[in-house]
Amino acid sequence: MNPRLFLLGLLVTGVFGLTGCKTGRVNVSRDVYDPLTMDPVTRDSTNPPRLIELALQSAGSRLNGIFYLPAGPGPHPVVVLLHGNPGNERNLDVAQALRRAGYGVLFFNYRGSWGSGGSFSRLHALEDAHAALDFVSSSTTRARYGIDSTRIALIGHSMGGWIALLTAAQDQRVRCVTALDFVNTGARGRRLQNDAAYDSAVTVEHNGLTAPGGPYRGEGGGAALVAEMKKNAESWDVNRTASALRNRPVLLIAAVNGAEQDSFAASMGASGAPLLTAQIWKTDHSFSDRRVALARTIVDWMRRSCR
């Protein structure tokens, strides 16, 4: 026998625990099932995994959303996934991995973003996160989708990480929170107050986001969004949330915003935070070359620390 083929056979049947069967399917022992790299071992024909298109409501406006539902009757723990500014990286690969691991995952677009109703502002986005918590906590959602509203996690990226931290600090329904390379909007608001060149650059950026055909729809263009950041600089500083989050599991993974994460982690440490996990990775803001590692880290941390 070709030795290379023999070794390949050992890898397939021994290391991964896979064996061929007469139907041509592959059987996988449940104790080696890996939701990061494998589809579900068996298909639950009564309660299969599903993708549900949703229209949530926030302050009378429609939020376009999707709900990744895992197999089984539940009740399933649930994750609310919050995108960044403007949300080009949506982390839906992480959502798929979490679903395979048994979590329901709600993703939505904030008011005035990517076709959702209303107008975009960061204040509205914060309110929309609370509206999403109301949705997953409702008796109707629990009954219809098999959700366990006592096990809710927030996962946010960039601006979404900032929203996740502020929302969790204000809402005890959130059991644990993950912030991925988050942007401390409050600290940046203070910089906008004192740095004219930075103010100009951010205004130009937001003018592009609110231009016709852009991802945001809002009144006042980029200048209004920058003015909002300046006005709320102090109350939107995530370092102020440290004491409110000190007794809940918090996972921080930074890439290019390590300084902002370090500042927040120091505030958490000063308030006493035994459940804080903070890492800094060498990659870009979208974790472009660490996507599998990102999903692995989040799923493992959720299973270990967010029960």
Side-chain angles (χ1 to χ4, degrees):
M1 175 184 288
N2 186 314
R4 292 184 178 178
L5 293 177
F6 177 73
L7 289 174
L8 178 61
L10 288 178
L11 285 172
V12 171
T13 59
V15 176
F16 295 106
L18 307 183
T19 56
C21 61
K22 293 182 180 179
T23 62
R25 295 182 59 190
V26 175
N27 295 325
V28 184
S29 173
R30 289 184 182 275
D31 60 358
V32 298
Y33 173 66
D34 181 0
L36 268 296
T37 60
M38 299 177 182
D39 288 322
V41 178
T42 58
R43 189 174 192 275
D44 187 329
S45 58
T46 304
N47 296 285
R50 292 174 290 160
L51 175 63
I52 307 296
E53 295 181 5
L54 297 171
L56 317 181
Q57 292 294 313
S58 179
S61 294
R62 168 183 169 139
L63 307 181
N64 297 321
I66 52 177
F67 213 166
Y68 292 88
L69 296 174
H76 303 289
V78 62
V79 172
V80 177
L81 184 60
L82 302 166
H83 69 73
N85 171 41
N88 291 312
E89 175 53 71
R90 303 184 178 200
N91 295 293
L92 297 183
D93 54 338
V94 175
Q96 294 277 12
L98 284 165
R99 175 169 64 176
R100 290 192 297 271
Y103 297 86
V105 183
L106 173 66
F107 174 88
F108 68 95
N109 294 118
Y110 313 115
R111 266 179 281 172
S113 72
W114 301 103
S116 285
S119 61
F120 175 79
S121 73
R122 285 172 173 80
L123 177 59
H124 285 174
L126 288 165
E127 294 171 348
D128 297 343
H130 288 286
L133 291 178
D134 291 341
F135 172 80
V136 297
S137 299
S138 72
S139 58
T140 300
T141 299
R142 293 199 305 268
R144 181 175 297 170
Y145 301 119
I147 294 303
D148 184 352
S149 60
T150 68
R151 293 186 290 167
I152 301 175
L154 293 180
I155 298 177
H157 182 202
S158 191
M159 180 185 72
W162 166 74
I163 293 172
L165 293 169
L166 260 64
T167 303
Q170 298 167 358
D171 198 318
Q172 291 297 319
R173 291 177 296 184
V174 180
R175 179 171 290 193
C176 53
V177 58
T178 294
L180 306 174
D181 207 33
F182 76 87
V183 171
N184 187 347
T185 301
R188 297 197 179 192
R190 283 196 299 273
R191 182 181 172 189
L192 287 167
Q193 293 171 349
N194 300 296
D195 186 335
Y198 182 59
D199 183 314
S200 178
V202 175
T203 300
V204 169
E205 175 193 358
H206 284 72
N207 279 336
L209 297 175
T210 56
Y216 289 160
R217 179 180 60 255
E219 299 177 0
L225 294 176
V226 168
E228 180 189 44
M229 293 172 68
K230 293 178 181 179
K231 177 181 177 181
N232 296 284
E234 293 305 319
S235 61
W236 285 358
D237 187 340
V238 293
N239 293 340
R240 295 165 58 96
T241 70
S243 60
L245 294 172
R246 66 179 180 272
N247 293 320
R248 276 180 281 178
V250 176
L251 172 63
L252 307 174
I253 306 177
V256 301
N257 295 322
E260 286 165 284
Q261 177 174 293
D262 284 345
S263 178
F264 175 64
S267 297
M268 289 283 287
S271 66
L275 303 178
L276 172 67
T277 301
Q279 303 174 5
I280 298 180
W281 293 5
K282 284 188 175 182
T283 185
D284 68 357
H285 183 55
S286 296
F287 299 89
S288 296
D289 58 355
R290 305 295 301 279
R291 299 304 307 178
V292 174
L294 183 66
R296 170 75 67 195
T297 300
I298 292 172
V299 169
D300 288 351
W301 180 81
M302 290 284 292
R303 286 174 155 179
R304 181 179 64 253
S305 300
C306 186
R307 297 184 177 182

